[in-house]
Amino acid sequence: MIDFSTIEYLKSGNERQILAYETLVRNKTLEVLVEFDPILVGTIPINIDIENSDLDIICFWQNKDHFVKKVTSLFKNKSDFKIRKTIINEKESVIGNFKLDNFEIEIFGQNIPTKNQNGYKHMIIEHQILESRDENFRQEIIKLKQNGYKTEPAFAKLLGLKSDPYLELLNYKI
């Protein structure tokens, strides 16, 4: 099993994963967020990304205002920077977006330890599903994503899940 808590695994990945690793290391993106226990999640780590996939970094904050100030001070000079507060699944959330090299970056923070956040849980389950299936399954996920599906609904469609794909995936048994 890959240790997704660091980005070391990206170094021996595909071209895009190596580029993501180099971008994050060169810009010290995770290093400067270390107090928030950052983890890279999403499609690039598990090799189902498409051309416009971003780098999603989840964070755990205990003081929302401190997190907003820190993310703003660190990244406000980056291209297309914006930050917003919102509610997701009844949880206060902070989302910062900007461009770094050839990547869109999304910093997502909640007052939930990173390994307990849905973004991390979904990625781990999706990775396990991909490991249990063949290359054709992975290609079908990518095809659905290229046709406009979000990741979890793409998995749900191929797995025959009927209701809320975000909830059903969390309980999916491989």
Side-chain angles (χ1 to χ4, degrees), residues 16 43-44 48-55 103-104 145:
R16 190 111 188 268
T43 59
I44 291 173
I48 54 168
D49 53 298
I50 57 175
E51 190 180 341
N52 61 352
S53 293
D54 60 1
L55 291 174
F103 290 98
E104 300 266 345
K145 290 178 60 54

Side-chain angles (χ1 to χ4, degrees), residues 23-126:
T23 295
L24 293 172
V25 170
R26 184 174 49 258
N27 292 283
K28 297 182 169 53
T29 311
L30 298 174
E31 217 174 287
V32 298
L33 292 167
V34 73
E35 70 181 280
F36 304 108
D37 196 19
I39 299 177
L40 179 68
V41 299
T43 59
I44 291 173
I46 59 174
N47 192 23
I48 54 168
D49 53 298
I50 57 175
E51 190 180 341
N52 61 352
S53 293
D54 60 1
L55 291 174
D56 297 306
I57 300 167
I58 59 171
C59 294
F60 167 43
W61 50 258
Q62 294 176 350
N63 177 318
K64 183 175 64 176
D65 292 333
H66 170 67
F67 181 70
V68 169
K69 281 188 186 114
K70 182 85 179 209
V71 169
T72 301
S73 73
L74 289 169
F75 304 112
K76 67 182 178 210
N77 296 326
K78 302 297 179 198
S79 179
D80 297 338
F81 176 80
K82 59 183 184 295
I83 192 163
R84 66 191 190 349
K85 299 174 196 169
T86 187
I87 305 289
I88 296 177
N89 296 331
E90 300 170 23
K91 301 283 182 199
E92 288 185 280
S93 305
V94 176
I95 303 170
N97 299 90
F98 54 93
K99 285 195 175 104
L100 207 51
D101 298 345
N102 297 316
F103 290 98
E104 300 266 345
I105 307 285
E106 180 169 287
I107 310 275
F108 180 89
Q110 289 184 323
N111 187 13
I112 300 171
T114 46
K115 287 187 175 177
N116 295 337
Q117 290 185 28
N118 284 347
Y120 180 79
K121 291 179 181 178
H122 283 142
M123 180 182 72
I124 295 301
I125 290 164
E126 290 158 5

Side-chain angles (χ1 to χ4, degrees), residues 131-161:
E131 291 288 298
S132 73
R133 302 294 175 113
D134 62 8
E135 176 62 13
N136 188 46
F137 184 87
R138 190 180 74 78
Q139 291 298 331
E140 287 298 316
I141 293 285
I142 291 170
K143 213 174 285 176
L144 287 171
K145 290 178 60 54
Q146 288 168 333
N147 288 324
Y149 275 76
K150 291 274 188 203
T151 304
E152 287 75 9
F155 272 87
K157 180 175 175 61
L158 291 186
L159 297 170
L161 307 179

